[in-house]
Amino acid sequence: MPDDCTLWYAEWEMACCGRWFALGSRVIWPVSRYAVHDGSFLPEGMEREIGRVDYAYDAHGDSWKGLYTLTGTVKRIRGVYFCFESDSERPGYLRRVSGFLTEMEDCDYWTAARNAAKRKGPRPRFDAYIVHIEPAEIRPAGKGDRALWT
C-alpha cells in the first residue's frame, strides 16, 4: 500500500459528475492506473513538470476489472492548462502546443481559469487537476464501493 499517490483528474470527469474537493478534503474516489502516453499527449517539457502520476480518476469505466477505490486526504492540487493550434497534418484537429500548471486551493477552476487568462500569449484551456493524496489507501473496487465514493 503506498503512503501517497498522485492522480490525473480530467476536467470533463469533474464537469460530468465530480464533487467539490479542496486541500485537506478526505476523498474516496474510483480510480484506474494512469495510462502512460506516447509523448504526443503533453507539450514538450510538461511531463517533467507534472512528475509521477499513478492513477486517473475513473467514474466512467466500463468494467470493474482494473478499477480501484482510493481513500485519502488531498495535500496538493495543480491545474493543468493547454494552449492549442490547428494541426497542419490533420485538418480539423487541434494539437497541444504549450501548457502550464497552477497551484490551486480547491477544484474551482473557474477562478483559476480567469487568473490563467490574464497570462500573455495564447488563451489557455483548463484540462485537468493533478491531485496529490497523502496518506493514500488503494484497494480493488467492489460493487458496494459506488455508495462510498465522494
Side-chain angles (χ1 to χ4, degrees), residues 49-140:
E49 188 178 0
I50 288 171
R52 179 191 94 215
V53 177
D54 306 298
Y55 294 90
Y57 181 89
D58 189 0
H60 294 86
D62 58 359
S63 167
W64 288 96
K65 186 178 180 181
L67 193 63
Y68 299 88
T69 294
L70 164 69
T71 303
T73 302
V74 175
K75 293 296 183 181
R76 185 179 187 192
I77 307 167
R78 292 180 291 164
V80 180
Y81 293 83
F82 294 125
C83 296
F84 296 85
E85 68 180 28
S86 295
D87 189 332
S88 60
E89 296 176 12
R90 299 184 322 167
Y93 285 86
L94 297 174
R95 64 182 178 89
R96 294 167 178 86
V97 293
S98 63
F100 59 91
L101 302 175
T102 60
E103 294 292 329
M104 301 176 72
E105 293 183 14
D106 57 35
C107 62
D108 174 15
Y109 78 85
W110 293 106
T111 298
R114 281 192 297 277
N115 292 338
K118 296 174 187 174
R119 294 171 60 107
K120 296 186 189 284
R123 184 164 178 103
R125 193 192 99 191
F126 185 84
D127 195 79
Y129 306 92
I130 302 292
V131 185
H132 185 79
I133 306 290
E134 186 179 341
E137 178 186 322
I138 299 165
R139 61 177 172 73

